[in-house]
Amino acid sequence: MCSIVKNQYELCEEIGRGRFGTIFRCFNPTTNQVFACKIINKTLLTDSTDRNCLLNEPKYMTLLSPHPNILQIYHFSEDDDVLSIVMELCQPLTLFERILKTNGSNTLTEPQSAFIMHQLLSALAHCHTLGVAHRDIKPDNILFDSKDNLKLADFGSAEWFGEGKKMSGIVGTPYYVAPEILMGREYDEKVDVWSCGVILYIMLSGIPPFYGDDAAQIFEAVVRGNLRFPSRLFRSVSSSAKDLLRKMICRDASRRFSAEQALRHPWILSGGETAELS
């Protein structure tokens, strides 16, 4: 732990572990508040890409805070060997784990899905307004605080795009990555909307829209972008929800909804409460 952070916080038990560091619950004895502290061993960062990703996170989180649906950073310190980030403490289960712990179908109801998607799109609209694309939206990066508010986390792959500036580079995660990224094209912030659409599809059906036996097959399916709604999985899903999915998981990025447009869709505005079923 960096000396500056160590002077203000007391480390408690370990609550998570990653490739380069460990997350602890920590306590500020002055304010009696509890936080999460990510401690990263910089000596393990032999790859410049890994180092840039880890340094990106506090930079973008600081820029984007405060927002009710973005994980808040409170303190960031660095010395020769250690990087410490003090953040708000969240519940242990990510959205991915919540979906797996549902009633056995790995699906959520339309109101549950709309509630989560409204918060996620609100966070993304805020990011995009400030010129930041997340570029790795997936259920594993979606946390919840003690009051069950969604918190978007892990900005290690984020990129500044500014007004009219395009991005490039292969980033993201199989199942969730947008086709234009895989095709090596320049792209814009709507890659995040594609990923959100994939998450919504999974919440409503229990499976991803594009899949395969390995990463290569998944990527091929994503690039084809042949969106389908199998009747056995979408029989009870409203046509309004499917309409939003088509507009978010749209292979043509110029026609794909922005985060702001998705927030104004009738299915989101109604909280998923629609009687129209297909």
Side-chain angles (χ1 to χ4, degrees), residues 33-251:
Q33 291 178 292
V34 180
F35 302 93
C37 181
K38 180 186 289 188
I39 299 179
I40 297 161
N41 184 348
K42 290 167 59 180
T43 62
L44 300 176
L45 304 178
T46 55
D47 186 283
S48 60
T49 301
D50 291 332
R51 180 178 176 80
N52 289 336
C53 284
L54 289 167
L55 292 177
N56 266 350
E57 186 169 28
K59 177 176 70 176
Y60 286 115
M61 288 172 67
T62 300
L63 171 66
L64 297 167
S65 293
H67 185 279
N69 300 121
I70 293 176
L71 189 68
Q72 188 165 351
I73 183 171
Y74 294 99
H75 204 113
F76 168 65
S77 297
E78 183 178 8
D79 60 23
D80 290 341
D81 298 320
V82 175
L83 186 152
S84 301
I85 308 172
V86 177
M87 307 169 288
E88 63 182 309
L89 182 66
C90 287
Q91 298 179 41
L93 296 185
T94 65
L95 176 59
F96 178 77
E97 291 157 334
R98 284 190 172 207
I99 293 172
L100 291 180
K101 285 182 173 288
T102 53
N103 54 16
S105 64
N106 292 341
T107 61
L108 304 179
T109 66
E110 289 196 42
Q112 287 173 328
S113 300
F115 181 71
I116 288 171
M117 192 53 50
H118 180 272
Q119 294 181 85
L120 179 55
L121 288 168
S122 296
L124 272 187
H126 176 71
C127 294
H128 294 171
T129 297
L130 293 176
V132 176
H134 187 284
R135 302 202 303 173
D136 195 19
I137 301 291
K138 57 184 177 182
D140 315 63
N141 290 337
I142 297 170
L143 310 175
F144 298 88
D145 68 11
S146 60
K147 296 181 180 178
D148 229 24
N149 298 306
L150 180 146
K151 299 289 180 175
L152 179 59
D154 197 346
F155 284 81
S157 297
E159 183 62 83
W160 164 255
F161 60 89
E163 188 172 344
K165 178 180 178 290
K166 294 284 188 175
M167 295 169 284
S168 61
I170 304 294
V171 293
T173 301
Y175 295 122
Y176 307 99
V177 65
E180 58 266 34
I181 292 179
L182 296 175
M183 296 168 74
R185 298 175 179 171
E186 290 189 327
Y187 50 85
D188 61 21
E189 71 276 12
K190 287 185 180 179
V191 296
D192 288 341
V193 178
W194 173 283
S195 303
C196 284
V198 172
I199 291 174
L200 178 56
Y201 189 105
I202 291 172
M203 289 193 294
L204 294 174
S205 71
I207 65 168
F210 312 109
Y211 49 87
D213 292 334
D214 54 33
Q217 290 186 13
I218 295 169
F219 292 156
E220 288 176 9
V222 169
V223 169
R224 286 195 300 270
N226 187 12
L227 184 63
R228 295 177 178 175
F229 300 107
S231 58
R232 64 184 179 86
L233 299 173
F234 282 87
R235 186 177 297 109
S236 61
V237 175
S238 69
S239 59
S240 182
K242 286 184 277 191
D243 179 71
L244 177 58
L245 284 169
R246 290 188 188 96
K247 289 177 167 64
M248 296 175 72
I249 311 176
C250 178
R251 192 173 180 276

